[in-house]
Amino acid sequence: MNRKKILKQILALDPIKDHLKIVHLNSFYDFPWDNTRALEFALFRTFAVPAIGNLLNYTGEFEHRTQKRYDDTDLLLSEIIEHGYDSERGKAALNRVNGMHGRFKISNDDMRYVLSTFVMEPYRWNQRFGYRKATNQENIAGHKIWYEIGVRMGIKDIPETFEAMLEMNIAYEKANFGYTEGGRRVADATVNLMLGWFFPKFMFPVCRPFMYALMDEPLLNALKLKKPSPVIVSLVNTGMNLRKFVLRFMPVRRKPVLRTRRTVESYPQGYKINELGIHYKKSE
């Protein structure tokens, strides 16, 4: 089956009623690598918000147990998306997320912004690097699934349309992006984690600018990351454009790419949902 048949299936579905099916086709068959990368880079946008970056630095988890924090976040969100927010596993994952967030005073505005990054970063990545542009149905469905998750997390005043969420996301970043030492520390730790998946440590200084080339200028400025040279940006864009071209001729995956089915470094023997995340002692 070629990729056009996946698109045809998506276009035949209702973006509200069938939003879970559309998200599954988009995320697990057509754009699994792209959406994973987009959500990884969404993390950096949260580090650029002083209140969030400082909180993540305060917990010490992203700096000292970076791989485990990445795996926990990835698995909890994947459980919700793969099984559905109202499934038994989806509810269990949401309960873990809500339980961890409930220990800290996080403003509704900050929670709402973080929620918006899960919609907007895959959209922005797709606009730059997708082998095809996302359809209106996919944008609406992507908003709808995260809207419903946000409601179940107790987040208030969530924008009710994709366009309204995009507008809120942009306005929030303009008003709130800024540098903090804490945000920069967790950003550096996360960059090193991601580079470590592919390269030996001695290559990190050479490879960092290529990661920075995937970030936009407001984000680089907020984290005080060195802007990559035009040559590096051009190389990254050329490579990603070549990837687009090749993907247009690749067959559709026969099986879904599910994050919860992969071998997870932090849990080589498997995991239970109630084991994921930070478990604080009563005295903490």
Side-chain angles (χ1 to χ4, degrees):
M1 182 168 65
N2 64 36
R3 289 177 178 269
K4 290 183 179 179
K5 291 189 177 180
I6 283 285
L7 178 59
K8 188 176 180 180
Q9 287 184 50
I10 290 171
L11 292 174
L13 295 169
D14 182 278
I16 299 299
K17 184 179 67 174
D18 302 317
H19 65 278
L20 287 172
K21 178 64 173 177
I22 291 173
V23 169
H24 284 192
L25 288 170
N26 177 287
S27 297
F28 307 145
Y29 288 92
D30 219 4
F31 294 103
W33 187 87
D34 297 84
N35 287 341
T36 298
R37 301 291 84 77
L39 293 177
E40 286 169 355
F41 277 86
L43 284 172
F44 292 103
R45 306 197 85 79
T46 66
F47 304 155
V49 177
I52 302 172
N54 280 333
L55 175 60
L56 293 172
N57 179 64
Y58 168 78
T59 67
E61 293 294 316
F62 264 93
E63 188 174 3
H64 301 297
R65 287 173 285 276
T66 318
Q67 182 67 58
K68 188 172 187 302
R69 289 289 69 77
Y70 172 89
D71 288 337
D72 288 345
T73 302
D74 183 16
L75 290 170
L76 286 169
L77 296 181
S78 295
E79 286 284 352
I80 297 166
I81 299 298
E82 290 177 17
H83 297 98
Y85 43 77
D86 283 336
S87 68
E88 183 178 348
R89 294 188 70 86
K91 288 179 179 178
L94 274 168
N95 285 339
R96 284 296 301 131
V97 172
N98 288 336
M100 288 185 290
H101 288 166
R103 297 191 59 86
F104 303 100
K105 292 183 179 179
I106 307 172
S107 75
N108 188 74
D109 284 353
D110 291 345
M111 290 285 288
R112 186 174 56 183
Y113 169 69
V114 173
L115 183 78
S116 77
T117 65
F118 297 129
V119 182
M120 294 308 152
E121 291 318 297
Y123 165 72
R124 290 183 176 121
W125 183 281
N126 172 269
Q127 294 299 296
R128 290 181 66 190
F129 304 127
Y131 82 91
R132 66 167 174 83
K133 295 293 190 289
T135 65
N136 193 45
Q137 281 97 325
E138 288 167 302
N139 292 336
I140 293 171
H143 166 270
K144 176 64 174 175
I145 193 170
W146 286 105
Y147 178 92
E148 295 296 337
I149 291 169
V151 168
R152 287 157 178 77
M153 292 177 65
I155 301 174
K156 308 298 182 184
D157 303 319
I158 304 170
E160 296 189 358
T161 66
F162 174 86
E163 293 78 12
M165 183 169 280
L166 177 59
E167 183 178 345
M168 180 274 291
N169 176 277
I170 293 170
Y172 178 97
E173 290 187 353
K174 287 182 178 178
N176 291 279
F177 264 18
Y179 177 79
T180 61
E181 290 185 5
R184 176 59 187 269
R185 275 196 290 270
V186 292
D188 287 342
T190 305
V191 167
N192 290 338
L193 169 72
M194 293 178 180
L195 291 175
W197 296 337
F198 307 103
F199 306 104
K201 195 170 184 179
F202 74 87
M203 290 185 64
F204 286 10
V206 176
C207 296
R208 280 194 191 97
F210 289 88
M211 277 197 68
Y212 298 162
L214 296 169
M215 303 180 188
D216 58 36
E217 192 166 345
L219 179 59
L220 292 170
N221 291 340
L223 293 172
K224 291 189 177 180
L225 298 172
K226 186 177 180 180
K227 187 176 179 180
S229 71
V231 172
I232 289 177
V233 173
S234 178
L235 286 172
V236 169
N237 288 336
T238 299
M240 296 301 282
N241 285 333
L242 178 61
R243 178 178 176 271
K244 286 184 196 180
F245 178 78
V246 172
L247 282 177
R248 292 191 184 105
F249 301 97
M250 296 289 287
V252 172
R253 293 166 180 82
R254 293 186 177 183
K255 295 181 179 180
V257 180
L258 302 176
R259 300 290 293 172
T260 60
R261 302 288 178 86
R262 67 190 177 90
T263 301
V264 182
E265 182 172 335
S266 301
Y267 303 96
Q269 304 303 319
Y271 67 92
K272 295 179 181 179
I273 293 174
N274 61 8
E275 295 173 343
L276 300 175
I278 309 169
H279 289 267
Y280 296 98
K281 297 177 182 178
K282 290 184 179 181
S283 59
E284 290 182 288

